[in-house]
């Protein structure tokens, strides 16, 4: 079976890798660079506790499935690519902003999730200033999403996939009511199945109602005398993610519908930095080392689109919104099975729900 994938983010690469392993011939067309877009701009959190608190049931199940798959997926991908993903299960600390938030956290504290007071919180993260304590999730993880994009690219190519960067799909051709080829300015790629996994840019092709949601992130570097926090820290409407192998702390993120604009703004930089300094006052002495923005792909109901479209042979993997890195292993497995006709679409994620 010949599959053409539009988009070499972690979703397109992951699904392509799984399809190659299943014996398909896979070509990926990428408008820019592999592993770019939201895959590059993300902070890499596998934040089941922090970001899926209000998630509806099918999304929660997908997140938990992905979370369970991550260790094995990372080990397999590291072996296949020879690259480390820097998977770090150092936990996450969610700090309460006020008594009401603390009460909500207390209601969530079960299993390994436990409430910590200010002193416990500071024992986990000595950089913290005054705080009300919050929720401690000891095994929450994060990966280096840029390393993930590189590793998936290597694994995909080593497995025999074809990848064309700087080659945007401009049209999906149909024959007899079926997707049969993808056209770019440079060529025509015949396919038995076409998958759109183009993140925020998926909306530029028909039938796919996805909007870009801008997120800005900054990176701070400590003075030589200071250590990075061990866990991920959430509070003051920001998250702080350590990247120990790069010696920096990521602070994100804004959430804004601003079309396809990815320019970093002074206002976002100052807001992110001030919020992080409220959490950890000594960050005032840290150096701003980077600042960027990415576009999260969001569907009208906030749930992913995973499955067939109204056109036979045309599939979508999109709308991952804030959880694209977390979902990677589950989407790779489920979409490969769907394209191969080995599984059924989950109704809540069916892209045809917007038809
Ligand atoms: N998952 C991180 C973000 O959306 O900012």
């Amino acid at each position: 079976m010949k599959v053409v994938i539009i988009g070499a983010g972690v979703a397109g690469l992951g699904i392509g890798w799984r399809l190659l392993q299943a014996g398909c011939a896979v070509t990926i067309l990428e408008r820019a660079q592999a592993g770019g877009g939201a895959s590059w701009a993300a902070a890499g959190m596998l934040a089941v506790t922090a970001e899926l608190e209000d998630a509806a049931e099918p999304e929660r199940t997908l997140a938990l499935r992905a979370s369970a798959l991550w260790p094995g997926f990372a080990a397999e991908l590291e072996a296949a690519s020879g690259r480390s993903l820097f998977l770090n299960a150092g936990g996450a600390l969610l700090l309460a902003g006020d008594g009401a938030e603390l009460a909500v956290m207390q209601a969530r504290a079960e299993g390994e999730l436990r409430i910590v007071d200010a002193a416990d919180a500071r024992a986990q993260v000595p950089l913290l200033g005054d705080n009300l304590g919050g929720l401690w999730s000891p095994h929450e993880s994060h990966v280096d999403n840029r390393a993930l994009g590189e590793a998936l690219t290597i694994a995909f190519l080593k497995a025999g996939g074809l990848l064309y960067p700087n080659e945007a799909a401009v049209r999906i051709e149909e024959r007899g009511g079926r997707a049969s080829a993808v056209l770019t300015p440079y060529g025509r790629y015949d396919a038995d199945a076409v998958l759109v996994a183009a993140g925020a840019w998926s909306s530029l092709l028909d039938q796919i109602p996805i909007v870009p949601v801008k997120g800005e992130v900054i990176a701070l570097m400590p003075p030589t005398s200071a250590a990075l926090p061990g866990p991920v820290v959430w509070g003051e409407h920001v998250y702080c993610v350590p990247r120990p192998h790069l010696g920096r702390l990521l602070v994100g993120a804004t959430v804004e519908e601003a079309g396809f604009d990815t320019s970093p703004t002074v206002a976002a930089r100052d807001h992110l930095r001030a919020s992080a300094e409220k959490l950890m006052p000594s960050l005032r002495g840290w150096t701003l080392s980077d600042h960027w923005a990415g576009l999260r792909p969001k569907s009208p109901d906030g749930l992913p689109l995973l499955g067939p479209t109204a056109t036979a042979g045309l599939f979508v993997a999109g709308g991952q919104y804030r959880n694209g890195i977390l979902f990677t292993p589950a989407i790779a497995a489920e979409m490969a099975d769907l394209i191969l006709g080995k599984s059924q679409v989950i109704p809540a994620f069916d892209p045809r729900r917007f038809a």
Side-chain angles (χ1 to χ4, degrees):
M1 182 178 190
K2 213 189 279 181
V3 183
V4 174
I5 297 177
I6 301 170
V10 294
L13 288 164
I15 298 161
W17 184 40
R18 289 296 185 226
L19 287 170
L20 289 166
Q21 290 172 327
C24 297
V26 185
T27 299
I28 303 187
L29 305 169
E30 163 54 47
R31 56 179 289 282
Q33 295 300 305
S39 300
W40 179 90
M45 287 177 295
L46 313 180
V48 180
T49 312
E51 282 195 298
L52 287 142
E53 183 188 352
D54 302 321
E57 194 37 57
E59 191 175 36
R60 236 193 123 57
T61 303
L62 179 70
L64 293 174
R65 167 141 191 261
S67 176
L69 287 174
W70 252 105
F73 177 79
E76 183 188 353
L77 182 55
E78 287 180 343
S81 65
R83 293 294 182 92
S84 175
L85 306 186
F86 302 97
L87 178 63
N88 179 324
L93 179 62
L94 284 58
L95 291 169
D98 55 28
E101 262 182 44
L102 193 57
V104 172
M105 289 176 174
Q106 275 158 347
R108 292 183 74 193
E110 59 173 15
E112 64 173 29
L113 298 185
R114 67 181 172 83
I115 291 292
V116 288
D117 63 17
D120 285 343
R122 207 172 286 119
Q124 296 290 355
V125 181
L127 294 173
L128 286 179
D130 290 340
N131 69 86
L132 298 174
L135 196 62
W136 171 236
S137 177
H139 298 121
E140 194 131 311
S141 317
H142 54 96
V143 291
D144 181 333
N145 43 290
R146 296 181 187 176
L148 170 65
E150 284 176 17
L152 279 169
T153 304
I154 293 167
F156 175 79
L157 292 172
K158 274 189 167 176
L162 296 175
L163 171 62
Y164 296 101
N166 300 314
E167 187 159 351
V170 292
R171 193 154 70 83
I172 297 165
E173 201 170 80
E174 292 177 28
R175 196 179 308 136
R178 230 193 125 75
S180 59
V182 179
L183 304 183
T184 76
Y186 312 115
R188 179 173 184 282
Y189 298 85
D190 289 325
D192 301 309
V194 174
L195 168 70
V196 180
W201 290 268
S202 301
S203 60
L204 301 181
L205 293 155
D206 283 347
Q207 306 178 9
I208 302 166
I210 286 175
V211 294
V213 180
K214 182 179 182 183
E216 295 192 43
V217 180
I218 59 171
L220 299 174
M221 274 175 63
T224 43
S225 55
L228 294 168
V232 172
V233 181
W234 291 75
E236 297 291 342
H237 309 287
V238 295
Y239 50 75
C240 302
V241 184
R243 282 274 187 272
H245 61 290
L246 300 175
R248 61 191 203 164
L249 180 69
L250 310 188
V251 182
T254 57
V255 179
E256 184 193 1
E257 289 198 19
F260 287 89
D261 171 25
T262 53
S263 50
T265 63
V266 171
R269 181 198 69 193
D270 291 350
H271 153 73
L272 293 168
R273 183 151 196 161
S275 303
E277 287 172 1
K278 263 196 216 163
L279 286 173
M280 296 179 251
S282 63
L283 296 186
R284 274 183 208 116
W286 293 33
T287 309
L288 178 79
S289 70
D290 210 347
H291 178 193
W292 63 88
L295 301 174
R296 310 173 182 92
K298 187 170 187 245
S299 73
D301 60 9
L303 293 175
L305 286 80
L306 302 173
T309 66
T311 304
L314 177 61
F315 297 81
V316 187
Q320 297 89 335
Y321 191 37
R322 303 195 71 154
N323 294 300
I325 304 299
L326 167 64
F327 290 156
T328 302
I331 287 183
E334 294 204 358
M335 283 304 304
D337 280 353
L338 269 164
I339 291 168
L340 294 167
K342 289 188 185 166
S343 69
Q344 298 292 317
V345 64
I346 295 167
F349 302 150
D350 191 333
R352 295 166 295 192
R353 69 190 185 276
F354 299 116

